Amino acid sequence: EPVVSLAEVLAENEELEKEARAVLGGSDHERCSYSQGAVKRQALYACSTCTPPGAEPAGICLACSYECHGTHRLFELYTKRNFRCDCGNSKFKNLQCKLLPEKGKVNSGNKYNDNFYGLYCTCKRPYPDPEDEIPDEMIQCIVCEDWFHGRHLGAVPPESGDFHEMVCQACMKHCHFLWAYASQLAGKEIPPLSKANSLEDEGIVLKVEESEEQKKEIKKETGVEHHETKEEKQSEQFNEPSTSSGYCTKCLQKFPMEIAETISEFLFCKLKELQSKPFVKKDTATFWPSNWRSKLCTCEDCLKMYSELEVQFLTDECDTVLAYENKGTSDQETERRDPLMDTLNSMNRVQQVELICEYNDLKTELTDYLRRFADEGTVVKREDIQHFFEEFQSRKRRRTNRMQYYCS
């Protein structure tokens, strides 16, 4: 049998607990989330027993998965955004929610896909797939929130950890404006947009721009050095045809340099700036680094476009699954309590003293017992642990059979 150290078991258990806290951390396991309306992001499940293929798709919250569907066959959907619990509504013909029986017939704001029937990716297969022998990682699209096999994305995913979010092929067609950003951001470390390095990478054509340092070096080598005045620099910086809000760039030049820079940051459309440069659209998914959402333009025109495409969430850093996981982990770490202390608080003082003594005896004896194996370099087996606790219980009984002393 493979040998596993106690430290490895504890480390693996801690990792599993961490993953569970991350996925379930923002969800309440005791109260149905329906009363909160469309929750920004929560762990969801679909019940194959109550809503099989052919029936209307429905999603249930964590608490309802325990209380109302505990013995049913469930599909874990991980998390979905802006979803309201369906448990017990008109989609469930023979079930009433035990936690909140009074619910509306339908949740018109909810969005559904094949995930609610346990099918994923463009291949519409279950996961894990008993007929698929190819090991492959499943990656979630942050727009449609479907899950995809890495090999079905039209592009080879970067190494795990080298990207933060993925947008699938279909969503890249829907959100076509993202291709202008992809040439600068996707699959790369995020540079400032105004100083984007340019190169030709995997069919994406970028415009090469010389930095100020390079321009000075070229001028020195050619013997021509141009001394720019402050006015010329300011005029060059705002040499754009127009702003997204309709402000004239000449008006900006009337402001002091520092104020004009701040105003232009909000007025100029970053998307139009990127679209004015050559870029290539491809029929592939795209992979994005962390904080890439903060680089999306938030001018009036772009915000209107996001609303029309129903992707307003792309400008919200708190919408990311990572933000949800971090919040869940942080909240649960704060709420986690020591079970020993909880037990002690429920006892009187005599019981507390006895429990502490028993705990210290167990800790001391178990430590001494395991140290022998460590000193001899031998493996601790199941029967060794069973033998220890049998001996410990025997010694405990002998101690309790002795004469007891009472304090007056």
Side-chain angles (χ1 to χ4, degrees):
E1 295 182 3
V3 177
V4 180
S5 69
L6 184 59
E8 290 174 328
V9 172
L10 292 175
E12 181 180 359
N13 185 63
E14 177 62 27
E15 186 63 28
L16 291 174
E17 288 185 1
K18 184 178 179 181
E19 290 179 7
R21 290 195 301 270
V23 177
L24 306 179
S27 304
D28 193 326
H29 67 280
E30 296 180 341
R31 288 179 287 273
C32 177
S33 65
Y34 181 84
S35 59
Q36 302 175 40
V39 180
K40 190 170 185 177
R41 186 172 289 282
Q42 64 175 318
L44 287 177
Y45 301 82
C47 182
S48 177
T49 305
C50 296
T51 55
E56 291 187 81
I60 59 177
C61 68
L62 177 64
C64 287
S65 74
Y66 292 153
E67 187 65 27
C68 308
H69 305 264
T71 60
H72 297 178
R73 182 171 179 242
L74 301 178
F75 297 125
E76 184 177 3
L77 303 178
Y78 196 52
T79 70
K80 301 285 186 185
R81 68 169 62 87
N82 300 330
F83 199 95
R84 194 172 195 183
C85 180
D86 286 322
C87 180
N89 66 13
S90 62
K91 295 186 175 187
F92 294 80
K93 306 303 181 184
N94 302 311
L95 181 136
Q96 185 180 52
C97 182
K98 298 178 182 178
L99 300 176
L100 280 177
E102 300 298 326
K103 290 183 178 179
K105 291 185 177 181
V106 294
N107 296 313
S108 57
N110 288 354
K111 293 184 178 181
Y112 307 90
N113 58 18
D114 287 328
N115 294 174
F116 290 81
Y117 299 119
L119 303 176
Y120 307 90
C121 191
T122 56
C123 58
K124 305 302 178 186
R125 295 293 302 169
Y127 183 83
D129 188 348
E131 298 180 8
D132 186 4
E133 298 179 355
I134 303 175
D136 199 354
E137 182 181 14
M138 295 287 281
I139 307 173
Q140 188 180 34
C141 172
I142 54 99
V143 178
C144 67
E145 298 190 297
D146 194 359
W147 291 82
F148 296 84
H149 294 101
R151 64 184 185 275
H152 293 160
L153 291 171
V156 179
E159 291 293 329
S160 181
D162 288 349
F163 69 98
H164 181 62
E165 293 181 308
M166 182 273 288
V167 180
C168 72
Q169 294 164 279
C171 290
M172 285 301 295
K173 291 180 180 178
H174 176 67
C175 304
H176 50 84
F177 69 92
L178 285 177
W179 282 112
Y181 291 100
S183 62
Q184 300 287 335
L185 306 178
K188 304 176 179 67
E189 290 296 324
I190 291 184
L193 287 180
S194 59
K195 299 179 182 178
N197 295 326
S198 302
L199 48 96
E200 186 170 336
D201 183 17
E202 297 183 0
I204 296 179
V205 180
L206 305 181
K207 185 177 179 180
V208 179
E209 294 181 357
E210 296 169 348
S211 66
E212 291 300 319
E213 295 296 328
Q214 290 172 325
K215 289 179 179 178
K216 289 180 180 179
E217 288 295 323
I218 293 173
K219 291 173 184 176
K220 289 181 180 179
E221 291 174 3
T222 57
V224 179
E225 187 170 357
H226 178 63
H227 299 281
E228 296 173 316
T229 63
K230 182 177 181 180
E231 290 77 11
E232 288 173 328
K233 290 181 180 179
Q234 182 169 330
S235 176
E236 180 181 335
Q237 180 169 355
F238 299 111
N239 186 22
E240 297 286 344
S242 64
T243 66
S244 61
S245 301
Y247 287 87
C248 176
T249 52
K250 292 183 179 180
C251 296
L252 290 176
Q253 297 179 24
K254 297 178 181 179
F255 292 96
M257 191 69 172
E258 294 77 9
I259 297 177
E261 289 177 353
T262 304
I263 295 175
S264 65
E265 183 71 23
F266 293 96
L267 298 184
F268 286 111
C269 179
K270 297 177 183 178
L271 177 59
K272 290 180 180 178
E273 179 185 352
L274 289 174
Q275 288 176 333
S276 66
K277 303 174 183 179
F279 64 90
V280 171
K281 294 182 181 179
K282 299 194 294 183
D283 187 21
T284 67
T286 51
F287 305 89
W288 304 80
S290 60
N291 299 325
W292 71 276
R293 297 190 188 205
S294 64
K295 302 302 179 182
L296 297 180
C297 183
T298 54
C299 73
E300 183 179 350
D301 290 342
C302 285
L303 290 177
K304 182 180 179 181
M305 176 184 64
Y306 302 149
S307 179
E308 291 173 348
L309 295 174
E310 298 184 339
V311 292
Q312 305 96 314
F313 54 83
L314 286 180
T315 59
D316 183 5
E317 292 285 341
C318 294
D319 171 77
T320 65
V321 173
L322 180 61
Y324 168 86
E325 291 180 346
N326 289 340
K327 182 179 182 302
T329 301
S330 176
D331 290 348
Q332 288 213 358
E333 285 290 351
T334 302
E335 296 174 1
R336 286 177 75 190
R337 296 177 297 182
D338 188 339
L340 178 60
M341 295 305 299
D342 287 343
T343 304
L344 283 173
N345 291 333
S346 66
M347 296 178 171
N348 60 42
R349 184 160 183 79
V350 174
Q351 292 172 323
Q352 288 177 350
V353 172
E354 290 179 348
L355 177 61
I356 292 174
C357 290
E358 291 292 338
Y359 175 79
N360 285 333
D361 287 344
L362 173 62
K363 180 180 178 181
T364 301
E365 293 190 28
L366 181 59
T367 301
D368 293 340
Y369 181 74
L370 294 177
R371 184 176 291 115
R372 289 164 25 204
F373 290 89
D375 293 341
E376 297 171 2
T378 55
V379 176
V380 182
K381 300 178 181 178
R382 181 193 300 270
E383 51 266 30
D384 295 324
I385 298 298
Q386 291 177 337
H387 176 71
F388 167 80
F389 280 103
E390 289 172 359
E391 287 291 318
F392 181 79
Q393 289 292 338
S394 176
R395 290 192 295 273
K396 180 181 177 182
R397 284 193 293 270
R398 289 198 297 269
R399 286 197 300 269
T400 55
N401 289 335
R402 294 175 185 172
M403 184 181 296
Q404 296 184 6
Y405 299 89
Y406 299 92
C407 297
S408 58

